[in-house]
Amino acid sequence: MKSLNQLMPLSLLILTAMSHQASAEKYDFALHGYIRSGILANSDGNRVDSVGLMPDGKWRLGNEDDTKIELVPRVTLTSDSGAVAKIQANITHQSKCTSDWNCLDEDGKAVQFREGYVEMTNLDFAPEVAFWGGKRYSSSNTSSHQFDWEYIQYNGTGGGFDNLDLGFARFDAGIYAFTPTDESKAFPVDKSDQGYPDDYSLNLWLKKIGGSPIDLEVVGHHMNNSEKHVDAAEKGYGFTGIYNFDGFYGVAGGYSKFVVQYGRGLAAGDSLGKNGWGWANLEDTQSWRVVLDGVASLGEWDIATFAYYQKDKNYRWWSSDEKGWGRTSWVAGVRPYQQITKHFAMQYEVGYEYLDDDNYKGVDGKGKGGLTKVTIAPTLTFDSGFWSRPQLRVFATYAKWDKGVSDALDGNYNWDTNSISAGGYSRSGKTDTLNFGIQAEVWF
Protein backbone atom coordinates (compact mmCIF):
# COMPACT_ATOMS: atom_id res chain seq x y z
CA MET A 1 0.00 0.00 0.00
CA LYS A 2 2.89 2.32 0.79
CA SER A 3 4.34 1.77 -2.70
CA LEU A 4 0.93 2.44 -4.25
CA ASN A 5 0.59 5.69 -2.33
CA GLN A 6 4.03 6.76 -3.52
CA LEU A 7 3.13 6.02 -7.15
CA MET A 8 -0.16 7.97 -7.13
CA PRO A 9 1.38 11.48 -7.19
CA LEU A 10 3.77 10.41 -9.96
CA SER A 11 0.89 8.99 -12.00
CA LEU A 12 -1.10 12.22 -11.60
CA LEU A 13 1.90 14.25 -12.76
CA ILE A 14 2.31 12.07 -15.86
CA LEU A 15 -1.39 12.31 -16.71
CA THR A 16 -1.30 16.08 -16.27
CA ALA A 17 1.73 16.38 -18.55
CA MET A 18 0.14 14.14 -21.18
CA SER A 19 -3.13 16.05 -21.13
CA HIS A 20 -1.22 19.33 -21.52
CA GLN A 21 0.78 17.86 -24.42
CA ALA A 22 -2.35 16.61 -26.14
CA SER A 23 -3.89 20.08 -26.05
CA ALA A 24 -0.73 21.71 -27.42
CA GLU A 25 0.19 19.36 -30.24
CA LYS A 26 -1.06 16.69 -32.59
CA TYR A 27 0.43 13.22 -32.16
CA ASP A 28 0.64 10.71 -35.03
CA PHE A 29 2.25 7.27 -35.01
CA ALA A 30 3.22 5.17 -38.02
CA LEU A 31 5.11 1.92 -38.43
CA HIS A 32 7.02 1.20 -41.64
CA GLY A 33 9.43 -1.58 -42.45
CA TYR A 34 11.13 -4.01 -44.78
CA ILE A 35 11.32 -7.80 -44.67
CA ARG A 36 13.01 -10.31 -46.93
CA SER A 37 13.56 -13.96 -46.13
CA GLY A 38 13.93 -17.21 -47.98
CA ILE A 39 16.10 -20.19 -48.77
CA LEU A 40 18.81 -20.62 -51.40
CA ALA A 41 20.01 -24.16 -52.25
CA ASN A 42 22.01 -25.77 -55.06
CA SER A 43 21.26 -28.85 -57.13
CA ASP A 44 23.11 -31.04 -54.59
CA GLY A 45 20.52 -30.13 -51.97
CA ASN A 46 22.95 -28.01 -49.94
CA ARG A 47 22.17 -24.53 -48.69
CA VAL A 48 24.50 -22.00 -50.32
CA ASP A 49 25.56 -18.36 -50.12
CA SER A 50 24.83 -15.64 -52.65
CA VAL A 51 27.10 -15.80 -55.68
CA GLY A 52 28.93 -12.69 -56.89
CA LEU A 53 32.37 -11.16 -57.50
CA MET A 54 32.03 -7.70 -56.01
CA PRO A 55 32.79 -6.79 -52.39
CA ASP A 56 29.59 -4.72 -52.44
CA GLY A 57 26.44 -5.58 -54.32
CA LYS A 58 25.17 -8.55 -56.31
CA TRP A 59 22.44 -9.35 -58.82
CA ARG A 60 19.88 -10.01 -56.15
CA LEU A 61 17.00 -11.78 -57.91
CA GLY A 62 17.28 -15.48 -56.98
CA ASN A 63 20.52 -14.73 -55.18
CA GLU A 64 19.77 -13.84 -51.55
CA ASP A 65 20.30 -16.31 -48.75
CA ASP A 66 19.81 -14.17 -45.64
CA THR A 67 16.94 -12.85 -43.56
CA LYS A 68 16.62 -9.10 -43.00
CA ILE A 69 13.95 -7.37 -40.94
CA GLU A 70 13.68 -3.59 -40.53
CA LEU A 71 10.99 -2.04 -38.34
CA VAL A 72 10.80 1.75 -38.53
CA PRO A 73 8.51 3.32 -35.89
CA ARG A 74 7.88 7.03 -36.40
CA VAL A 75 6.18 9.58 -34.16
CA THR A 76 5.17 12.91 -35.71
CA LEU A 77 4.33 15.85 -33.47
CA THR A 78 2.64 18.98 -34.82
CA SER A 79 2.45 21.98 -32.51
CA ASP A 80 -0.20 24.69 -32.48
CA SER A 81 2.35 26.98 -34.14
CA GLY A 82 2.66 24.57 -37.08
CA ALA A 83 6.15 23.33 -36.27
CA VAL A 84 6.63 19.60 -36.96
CA ALA A 85 8.95 17.18 -35.18
CA LYS A 86 9.56 13.68 -36.53
CA ILE A 87 11.10 11.14 -34.15
CA GLN A 88 12.24 7.97 -35.90
CA ALA A 89 14.08 4.75 -35.03
CA ASN A 90 15.20 1.85 -37.22
CA ILE A 91 15.26 -1.55 -35.50
CA THR A 92 17.08 -4.09 -37.67
CA HIS A 93 17.90 -7.77 -37.52
CA GLN A 94 19.98 -9.35 -40.26
CA SER A 95 21.38 -12.87 -40.28
CA LYS A 96 24.50 -11.33 -41.85
CA CYS A 97 25.14 -8.15 -39.90
CA THR A 98 26.54 -5.55 -42.31
CA SER A 99 27.35 -1.84 -42.47
CA ASP A 100 26.77 -1.09 -38.81
CA TRP A 101 29.05 -0.33 -35.87
CA ASN A 102 27.07 -1.98 -33.09
CA CYS A 103 26.86 -5.66 -34.11
CA LEU A 104 28.23 -6.50 -30.70
CA ASP A 105 27.19 -10.10 -30.18
CA GLU A 106 29.61 -12.85 -31.17
CA ASP A 107 27.72 -13.91 -34.30
CA GLY A 108 26.61 -10.43 -35.37
CA LYS A 109 22.96 -11.50 -35.41
CA ALA A 110 21.42 -9.45 -32.62
CA VAL A 111 18.94 -6.62 -33.11
CA GLN A 112 20.57 -3.27 -33.88
CA PHE A 113 19.17 0.24 -33.65
CA ARG A 114 20.47 1.62 -36.93
CA GLU A 115 18.59 4.89 -36.61
CA GLY A 116 17.46 7.06 -33.75
CA TYR A 117 17.06 10.75 -34.63
CA VAL A 118 14.86 13.83 -34.53
CA GLU A 119 13.96 15.98 -37.53
CA MET A 120 12.29 19.40 -37.13
CA THR A 121 10.58 21.29 -39.94
CA ASN A 122 8.27 24.28 -40.46
CA LEU A 123 10.10 26.36 -37.88
CA ASP A 124 9.13 30.04 -37.92
CA PHE A 125 12.54 31.33 -39.09
CA ALA A 126 13.09 28.62 -41.78
CA PRO A 127 9.79 26.89 -42.64
CA GLU A 128 11.13 24.84 -45.60
CA VAL A 129 14.34 23.60 -43.99
CA ALA A 130 14.51 20.21 -42.24
CA PHE A 131 16.95 20.24 -39.30
CA TRP A 132 18.08 16.89 -37.90
CA GLY A 133 20.29 15.37 -35.22
CA GLY A 134 21.05 11.84 -34.02
CA LYS A 135 21.83 8.57 -35.75
CA ARG A 136 20.34 8.15 -39.22
CA TYR A 137 20.68 7.22 -42.86
CA SER A 138 21.28 10.24 -45.09
CA SER A 139 18.21 11.41 -46.98
CA SER A 140 20.41 11.42 -50.11
CA ASN A 141 21.36 7.73 -49.97
CA THR A 142 20.84 6.21 -53.43
CA SER A 143 20.76 2.52 -54.28
CA SER A 144 20.15 0.09 -57.09
CA HIS A 145 17.46 -2.34 -55.97
CA GLN A 146 18.44 -4.65 -58.82
CA PHE A 147 22.12 -4.85 -57.78
CA ASP A 148 21.36 -4.56 -54.04
CA TRP A 149 23.91 -1.79 -53.55
CA GLU A 150 23.96 1.79 -52.31
CA TYR A 151 26.47 3.66 -54.46
CA ILE A 152 25.72 6.75 -52.37
CA GLN A 153 25.58 5.92 -48.67
CA TYR A 154 26.24 8.22 -45.72
CA ASN A 155 25.15 6.73 -42.42
CA GLY A 156 26.08 7.47 -38.84
CA THR A 157 25.62 9.81 -35.91
CA GLY A 158 25.66 13.55 -36.44
CA GLY A 159 23.49 16.45 -37.45
CA GLY A 160 22.68 18.92 -40.18
CA PHE A 161 19.91 20.26 -42.37
CA ASP A 162 18.20 19.55 -45.71
CA ASN A 163 16.43 21.68 -48.30
CA LEU A 164 17.85 25.16 -47.69
CA ASP A 165 16.87 27.40 -50.62
CA LEU A 166 19.93 29.23 -51.97
CA GLY A 167 18.06 30.67 -54.92
CA PHE A 168 20.12 28.86 -57.55
CA ALA A 169 19.90 25.45 -55.80
CA ARG A 170 18.63 23.52 -52.82
CA PHE A 171 21.35 22.89 -50.23
CA ASP A 172 21.80 19.95 -47.81
CA ALA A 173 24.64 19.79 -45.28
CA GLY A 174 25.48 17.28 -42.58
CA ILE A 175 28.28 15.77 -40.54
CA TYR A 176 28.40 12.03 -39.89
CA ALA A 177 30.58 9.84 -37.67
CA PHE A 178 30.77 6.17 -38.61
CA THR A 179 33.15 3.23 -38.16
CA PRO A 180 32.38 -0.47 -38.84
CA THR A 181 32.16 -2.83 -35.90
CA ASP A 182 35.49 -4.58 -36.45
CA GLU A 183 37.36 -1.26 -36.48
CA SER A 184 35.49 0.67 -33.79
CA LYS A 185 37.59 -0.43 -30.82
CA ALA A 186 41.04 0.09 -32.31
CA PHE A 187 43.27 2.45 -30.35
CA PRO A 188 44.94 5.53 -31.85
CA VAL A 189 48.57 5.18 -32.92
CA ASP A 190 49.47 7.73 -30.26
CA LYS A 191 48.41 5.94 -27.09
CA SER A 192 48.21 9.24 -25.24
CA ASP A 193 45.21 10.21 -27.40
CA GLN A 194 41.84 9.56 -25.82
CA GLY A 195 38.98 7.72 -27.47
CA TYR A 196 38.87 5.71 -30.71
CA PRO A 197 39.44 6.71 -34.33
CA ASP A 198 36.23 7.51 -36.19
CA ASP A 199 35.53 8.60 -39.76
CA TYR A 200 34.05 12.10 -39.58
CA SER A 201 32.63 13.17 -42.92
CA LEU A 202 31.23 16.55 -43.89
CA ASN A 203 28.67 16.24 -46.69
CA LEU A 204 27.58 19.23 -48.80
CA TRP A 205 24.89 18.77 -51.47
CA LEU A 206 23.68 21.21 -54.13
CA LYS A 207 20.47 19.91 -55.75
CA LYS A 208 18.58 21.00 -58.87
CA ILE A 209 21.33 23.48 -59.68
CA GLY A 210 19.97 26.41 -61.69
CA GLY A 211 16.63 24.62 -61.99
CA SER A 212 18.35 21.79 -63.89
CA PRO A 213 18.28 18.03 -63.17
CA ILE A 214 21.89 18.21 -61.93
CA ASP A 215 22.97 17.52 -58.33
CA LEU A 216 26.52 17.91 -56.97
CA GLU A 217 27.92 16.51 -53.73
CA VAL A 218 31.26 17.36 -52.10
CA VAL A 219 32.49 15.34 -49.12
CA GLY A 220 35.50 15.67 -46.83
CA HIS A 221 36.72 13.00 -44.40
CA HIS A 222 38.98 12.91 -41.35
CA MET A 223 40.04 9.90 -39.27
CA ASN A 224 43.04 9.50 -36.96
CA ASN A 225 45.36 6.55 -37.61
CA SER A 226 44.61 3.43 -35.57
CA GLU A 227 46.90 0.73 -34.25
CA LYS A 228 45.67 -1.59 -37.02
CA HIS A 229 46.54 0.80 -39.86
CA VAL A 230 49.45 2.98 -38.78
CA ASP A 231 50.25 4.26 -42.29
CA ALA A 232 46.67 4.75 -43.49
CA ALA A 233 45.14 7.96 -44.77
CA GLU A 234 43.93 10.50 -42.21
CA LYS A 235 41.90 12.60 -44.63
CA GLY A 236 40.14 12.38 -47.95
CA TYR A 237 37.76 14.16 -50.26
CA GLY A 238 35.26 13.09 -52.88
CA PHE A 239 32.77 14.36 -55.48
CA THR A 240 29.52 12.97 -56.86
CA GLY A 241 27.64 14.44 -59.80
CA ILE A 242 24.16 13.23 -60.75
CA TYR A 243 22.05 13.91 -63.84
CA ASN A 244 18.42 12.93 -63.17
CA PHE A 245 16.75 12.18 -66.50
CA ASP A 246 13.10 12.80 -67.23
CA GLY A 247 11.78 9.23 -67.41
CA PHE A 248 13.99 6.46 -68.76
CA TYR A 249 16.75 8.45 -70.49
CA GLY A 250 14.07 10.57 -72.14
CA VAL A 251 12.73 7.73 -74.33
CA ALA A 252 10.18 5.99 -72.05
CA GLY A 253 8.39 6.31 -68.75
CA GLY A 254 10.11 5.43 -65.47
CA TYR A 255 13.26 6.98 -64.07
CA SER A 256 17.02 7.02 -64.74
CA LYS A 257 20.26 8.52 -63.45
CA PHE A 258 23.76 9.11 -64.77
CA VAL A 259 26.28 9.34 -61.92
CA VAL A 260 29.98 10.26 -61.89
CA GLN A 261 32.06 9.81 -58.71
CA TYR A 262 35.66 10.51 -57.67
CA GLY A 263 37.39 9.97 -54.33
CA ARG A 264 40.89 10.23 -52.85
CA GLY A 265 42.31 9.03 -49.54
CA LEU A 266 39.57 8.13 -47.07
CA ALA A 267 36.94 8.83 -49.75
CA ALA A 268 38.29 6.27 -52.25
CA GLY A 269 38.18 2.48 -52.65
CA ASP A 270 35.38 0.80 -50.71
CA SER A 271 34.46 4.23 -49.30
CA LEU A 272 33.83 5.85 -52.70
CA GLY A 273 30.44 7.51 -52.38
CA LYS A 274 30.27 6.36 -48.74
CA ASN A 275 31.69 7.06 -45.31
CA GLY A 276 33.44 4.81 -42.81
CA TRP A 277 34.91 2.16 -45.14
CA GLY A 278 38.25 3.76 -46.06
CA TRP A 279 40.07 3.05 -42.78
CA ALA A 280 42.90 1.13 -44.54
CA ASN A 281 43.22 3.44 -47.57
CA LEU A 282 46.48 5.19 -48.38
CA GLU A 283 46.74 8.96 -48.81
CA ASP A 284 47.17 8.44 -52.57
CA THR A 285 44.42 5.83 -53.02
CA GLN A 286 42.18 7.13 -55.80
CA SER A 287 38.95 5.86 -57.34
CA TRP A 288 36.74 6.78 -60.29
CA ARG A 289 33.23 5.44 -60.99
CA VAL A 290 30.48 5.90 -63.58
CA VAL A 291 26.94 4.58 -62.90
CA LEU A 292 23.87 4.13 -65.10
CA ASP A 293 20.74 3.28 -63.10
CA GLY A 294 17.11 3.20 -64.19
CA VAL A 295 13.76 1.44 -64.66
CA ALA A 296 11.74 1.72 -67.89
CA SER A 297 7.93 1.45 -67.76
CA LEU A 298 6.47 -0.06 -70.95
CA GLY A 299 2.86 -1.02 -70.31
CA GLU A 300 2.70 -4.51 -68.83
CA TRP A 301 6.51 -4.62 -68.87
CA ASP A 302 8.92 -2.88 -66.49
CA ILE A 303 12.61 -3.24 -67.30
CA ALA A 304 15.26 -2.48 -64.67
CA THR A 305 18.78 -1.76 -65.87
CA PHE A 306 22.00 -1.13 -63.98
CA ALA A 307 25.65 -0.75 -64.92
CA TYR A 308 28.81 0.73 -63.45
CA TYR A 309 32.53 0.94 -64.19
CA GLN A 310 35.10 1.59 -61.44
CA LYS A 311 38.85 2.09 -61.53
CA ASP A 312 40.97 2.09 -58.35
CA LYS A 313 44.61 3.16 -57.99
CA ASN A 314 46.77 2.18 -55.01
CA TYR A 315 43.81 0.28 -53.60
CA ARG A 316 44.04 -2.03 -50.58
CA TRP A 317 41.72 -3.44 -47.96
CA TRP A 318 44.34 -4.42 -45.40
CA SER A 319 47.45 -2.62 -44.21
CA SER A 320 50.20 -5.17 -45.02
CA ASP A 321 50.71 -3.85 -48.56
CA GLU A 322 52.73 -0.62 -48.55
CA LYS A 323 51.68 0.74 -51.94
CA GLY A 324 48.39 -0.99 -52.68
CA TRP A 325 47.48 -2.27 -56.13
CA GLY A 326 45.29 -1.51 -59.12
CA ARG A 327 41.74 -2.78 -59.39
CA THR A 328 39.17 -2.60 -62.17
CA SER A 329 35.55 -3.73 -61.92
CA TRP A 330 32.40 -3.34 -63.97
CA VAL A 331 28.91 -4.81 -64.09
CA ALA A 332 25.93 -4.66 -66.45
CA GLY A 333 22.52 -6.26 -66.09
CA VAL A 334 18.86 -6.14 -67.03
CA ARG A 335 15.75 -7.38 -65.20
CA PRO A 336 12.54 -7.56 -67.29
CA TYR A 337 9.34 -7.77 -65.22
CA GLN A 338 6.10 -8.85 -66.92
CA GLN A 339 2.74 -8.49 -65.15
CA ILE A 340 0.72 -11.45 -66.47
CA THR A 341 -2.36 -10.90 -64.29
CA LYS A 342 -2.95 -8.49 -61.43
CA HIS A 343 -1.55 -11.00 -58.94
CA PHE A 344 0.96 -12.97 -61.02
CA ALA A 345 4.14 -11.84 -62.73
CA MET A 346 7.24 -13.29 -64.37
CA GLN A 347 10.66 -11.87 -63.58
CA TYR A 348 13.85 -12.56 -65.50
CA GLU A 349 17.37 -11.34 -64.90
CA VAL A 350 20.66 -11.49 -66.78
CA GLY A 351 23.71 -9.97 -65.14
CA TYR A 352 27.45 -9.90 -65.81
CA GLU A 353 30.26 -8.93 -63.43
CA TYR A 354 33.93 -8.44 -64.28
CA LEU A 355 36.78 -8.11 -61.78
CA ASP A 356 40.50 -7.51 -62.31
CA ASP A 357 42.04 -7.51 -58.83
CA ASP A 358 45.62 -8.58 -58.07
CA ASN A 359 44.45 -9.61 -54.61
CA TYR A 360 42.49 -12.55 -56.07
CA LYS A 361 45.00 -14.64 -58.00
CA GLY A 362 42.52 -17.44 -58.64
CA VAL A 363 43.26 -21.09 -59.38
CA ASP A 364 45.23 -20.24 -62.52
CA GLY A 365 47.02 -17.17 -61.21
CA LYS A 366 45.16 -14.51 -63.19
CA GLY A 367 43.10 -12.71 -60.57
CA LYS A 368 40.70 -11.49 -63.22
CA GLY A 369 37.67 -12.70 -65.10
CA GLY A 370 33.90 -12.56 -65.23
CA LEU A 371 30.71 -14.11 -63.89
CA THR A 372 27.41 -14.47 -65.72
CA LYS A 373 24.17 -15.04 -63.81
CA VAL A 374 20.71 -15.86 -65.24
CA THR A 375 17.51 -16.11 -63.16
CA ILE A 376 13.85 -16.86 -63.84
CA ALA A 377 11.36 -16.17 -61.05
CA PRO A 378 7.56 -16.76 -61.20
CA THR A 379 6.10 -14.26 -58.71
CA LEU A 380 2.87 -13.85 -56.75
CA THR A 381 2.08 -10.13 -56.38
CA PHE A 382 -0.17 -8.23 -54.03
CA ASP A 383 -0.68 -5.56 -56.68
CA SER A 384 0.61 -4.76 -60.17
CA GLY A 385 3.99 -3.28 -61.10
CA PHE A 386 7.73 -3.70 -60.56
CA TRP A 387 7.67 -1.95 -57.19
CA SER A 388 4.54 -3.60 -55.81
CA ARG A 389 5.04 -5.49 -52.56
CA PRO A 390 4.54 -8.00 -50.91
CA GLN A 391 5.94 -10.51 -53.42
CA LEU A 392 6.36 -14.27 -53.09
CA ARG A 393 8.90 -15.72 -55.53
CA VAL A 394 10.14 -19.13 -56.54
CA PHE A 395 13.23 -19.07 -58.69
CA ALA A 396 15.95 -20.94 -60.52
CA THR A 397 19.38 -19.35 -60.99
CA TYR A 398 22.30 -20.45 -63.12
CA ALA A 399 25.72 -18.83 -62.65
CA LYS A 400 29.00 -19.47 -64.45
CA TRP A 401 32.39 -17.87 -63.78
CA ASP A 402 35.96 -17.85 -65.05
CA LYS A 403 38.56 -19.84 -63.12
CA GLY A 404 40.66 -16.74 -62.65
CA VAL A 405 38.14 -15.28 -60.21
CA SER A 406 37.10 -18.47 -58.42
CA ASP A 407 38.59 -17.28 -55.13
CA ALA A 408 36.78 -13.95 -55.35
CA LEU A 409 33.38 -15.68 -55.20
CA ASP A 410 33.47 -16.58 -51.54
CA GLY A 411 37.09 -17.12 -50.54
CA ASN A 412 38.29 -16.42 -47.00
CA TYR A 413 41.43 -14.35 -46.40
CA ASN A 414 43.98 -15.92 -44.02
CA TRP A 415 45.83 -13.13 -42.21
CA ASP A 416 48.55 -15.52 -40.98
CA THR A 417 49.56 -16.85 -44.40
CA ASN A 418 48.47 -13.86 -46.54
CA SER A 419 46.48 -16.23 -48.75
CA ILE A 420 42.89 -16.88 -49.75
CA SER A 421 41.28 -20.25 -49.13
CA ALA A 422 38.61 -21.63 -51.41
CA GLY A 423 35.01 -21.13 -50.39
CA GLY A 424 31.90 -23.21 -50.91
CA TYR A 425 31.57 -22.56 -54.65
CA SER A 426 35.22 -22.87 -55.61
CA ARG A 427 36.58 -25.66 -53.40
CA SER A 428 35.13 -28.40 -55.65
CA GLY A 429 36.82 -26.96 -58.73
CA LYS A 430 33.52 -26.30 -60.50
CA THR A 431 32.99 -23.09 -62.40
CA ASP A 432 29.20 -23.01 -62.40
CA THR A 433 26.21 -23.67 -60.17
CA LEU A 434 22.46 -24.20 -60.46
CA ASN A 435 20.56 -22.76 -57.50
CA PHE A 436 16.90 -22.82 -56.45
CA GLY A 437 14.86 -21.10 -53.82
CA ILE A 438 11.78 -19.39 -52.43
CA GLN A 439 11.71 -15.81 -51.12
CA ALA A 440 9.28 -13.36 -49.55
CA GLU A 441 9.90 -9.62 -49.82
CA VAL A 442 7.80 -6.77 -48.51
CA TRP A 443 8.08 -3.12 -47.61
CA PHE A 444 5.33 -1.09 -46.04
Side-chain angles (χ1 to χ4, degrees):
M1 181 64 68
K2 183 178 180 181
S3 299
L4 181 60
N5 290 335
Q6 291 174 335
L7 287 174
M8 285 295 291
L10 179 60
S11 301
L12 292 173
L13 285 173
I14 293 174
L15 288 172
T16 301
M18 291 178 66
S19 63
H20 175 72
Q21 182 185 53
S23 64
E25 59 193 28
K26 180 181 177 182
Y27 176 102
D28 289 314
F29 175 80
L31 179 66
H32 300 283
Y34 172 78
I35 298 172
R36 73 162 183 257
S37 185
I39 190 169
L40 182 66
N42 63 15
S43 56
D44 296 328
N46 295 318
R47 190 160 185 170
V48 292
D49 296 326
S50 302
V51 57
L53 295 182
M54 302 302 147
D56 300 301
K58 59 182 177 296
W59 301 113
R60 69 189 299 170
L61 185 65
N63 197 29
E64 290 175 322
D65 65 309
D66 64 335
T67 292
K68 183 175 183 179
I69 302 171
E70 285 189 350
L71 296 178
V72 183
R74 178 186 299 166
V75 172
T76 302
L77 305 176
T78 304
S79 72
D80 290 341
S81 67
V84 178
K86 181 178 74 176
I87 302 97
Q88 179 169 304
N90 184 319
I91 307 166
T92 301
H93 161 80
Q94 191 167 0
S95 53
K96 293 182 178 179
C97 188
T98 59
S99 64
D100 203 9
W101 65 98
N102 64 346
C103 305
L104 299 180
D105 68 309
E106 184 176 347
D107 296 324
K109 296 178 181 179
V111 170
Q112 298 90 40
F113 280 83
R114 291 186 171 174
E115 288 187 298
Y117 70 95
V118 175
E119 179 182 285
M120 298 181 68
T121 56
N122 207 30
L123 303 183
D124 52 6
F125 63 91
E128 295 184 356
V129 180
F131 298 92
W132 66 272
K135 178 179 178 179
R136 78 159 193 174
Y137 299 157
S138 168
S139 61
S140 297
N141 284 357
T142 307
S143 65
S144 165
H145 177 76
Q146 182 185 2
F147 197 62
D148 195 14
W149 180 46
E150 286 185 307
Y151 47 91
I152 302 173
Q153 181 191 68
Y154 293 95
N155 302 332
T157 306
F161 60 84
D162 295 340
N163 204 39
L164 176 64
D165 189 356
L166 298 181
F168 69 95
R170 295 285 178 171
F171 182 46
D172 297 353
I175 186 169
Y176 295 83
F178 182 95
T179 302
T181 301
D182 55 356
E183 296 293 322
S184 62
K185 292 303 180 182
F187 290 105
V189 171
D190 184 352
K191 294 299 189 294
S192 65
D193 290 343
Q194 297 182 21
Y196 307 99
D198 223 354
D199 181 351
Y200 284 86
S201 63
L202 175 65
N203 299 266
L204 306 175
W205 280 89
L206 294 172
K207 299 182 176 180
K208 298 182 179 179
I209 299 173
S212 74
I214 297 175
D215 300 341
L216 176 64
E217 180 247 12
V218 180
V219 60
H221 295 257
H222 179 270
M223 182 178 185
N224 290 334
N225 282 163
S226 75
E227 59 184 346
K228 294 182 180 179
H229 313 286
V230 295
D231 60 345
E234 291 191 343
K235 61 183 181 299
Y237 59 87
F239 303 92
T240 293
I242 304 175
Y243 190 96
N244 299 285
F245 287 88
D246 183 14
F248 186 75
Y249 302 107
V251 298
Y255 79 91
S256 54
K257 300 175 183 290
F258 173 68
V259 183
V260 178
Q261 297 176 288
Y262 170 78
R264 185 181 180 95
L266 285 173
D270 296 337
S271 211
L272 179 61
K274 301 184 178 184
N275 63 324
W277 297 95
W279 35 262
N281 289 356
L282 298 165
E283 292 284 356
D284 59 353
T285 300
Q286 297 182 70
S287 298
W288 301 261
R289 181 191 295 150
V290 176
V291 177
L292 291 169
D293 183 13
V295 175
S297 297
L298 304 169
E300 66 178 23
W301 287 87
D302 291 310
I303 303 175
T305 64
F306 182 74
Y308 83 81
Y309 175 87
Q310 181 167 332
K311 186 76 174 180
D312 301 297
K313 179 182 177 182
N314 300 325
Y315 168 82
R316 68 176 189 181
W317 58 270
W318 68 81
S319 59
S320 61
D321 189 292
E322 293 182 358
K323 297 182 179 180
W325 56 87
R327 183 179 69 162
T328 301
S329 61
W330 63 271
V331 309
V334 59
R335 188 202 289 190
Y337 174 99
Q338 182 185 18
Q339 195 75 47
I340 307 297
T341 72
K342 186 175 181 63
H343 301 296
F344 180 75
M346 291 295 300
Q347 297 190 71
Y348 316 88
E349 186 172 79
V350 179
Y352 181 79
E353 305 174 43
Y354 179 85
L355 181 66
D356 183 352
D357 190 337
D358 290 341
N359 171 47
Y360 296 108
K361 292 301 183 183
V363 295
D364 56 2
K366 290 183 178 180
K368 62 181 178 180
L371 175 146
T372 301
K373 175 188 159 292
V374 180
T375 296
I376 181 170
T379 304
L380 301 182
T381 65
F382 186 70
D383 206 342
S384 300
F386 182 88
W387 299 108
S388 68
R389 298 295 185 278
Q391 289 186 358
L392 297 176
R393 310 167 185 141
V394 295
F395 55 80
T397 294
Y398 176 75
K400 183 173 178 57
W401 55 91
D402 297 327
K403 287 186 177 181
V405 289
S406 293
D407 291 344
L409 291 176
D410 55 354
N412 299 306
Y413 186 76
N414 188 318
W415 295 86
D416 296 326
T417 63
N418 286 336
S419 63
I420 296 174
S421 59
Y425 283 112
S426 55
R427 65 180 178 228
S428 65
K430 292 183 178 180
T431 58
D432 64 349
T433 185
L434 183 60
N435 296 342
F436 305 91
I438 301 173
Q439 186 187 53
E441 184 178 50
V442 57
W443 49 67
F444 55 90

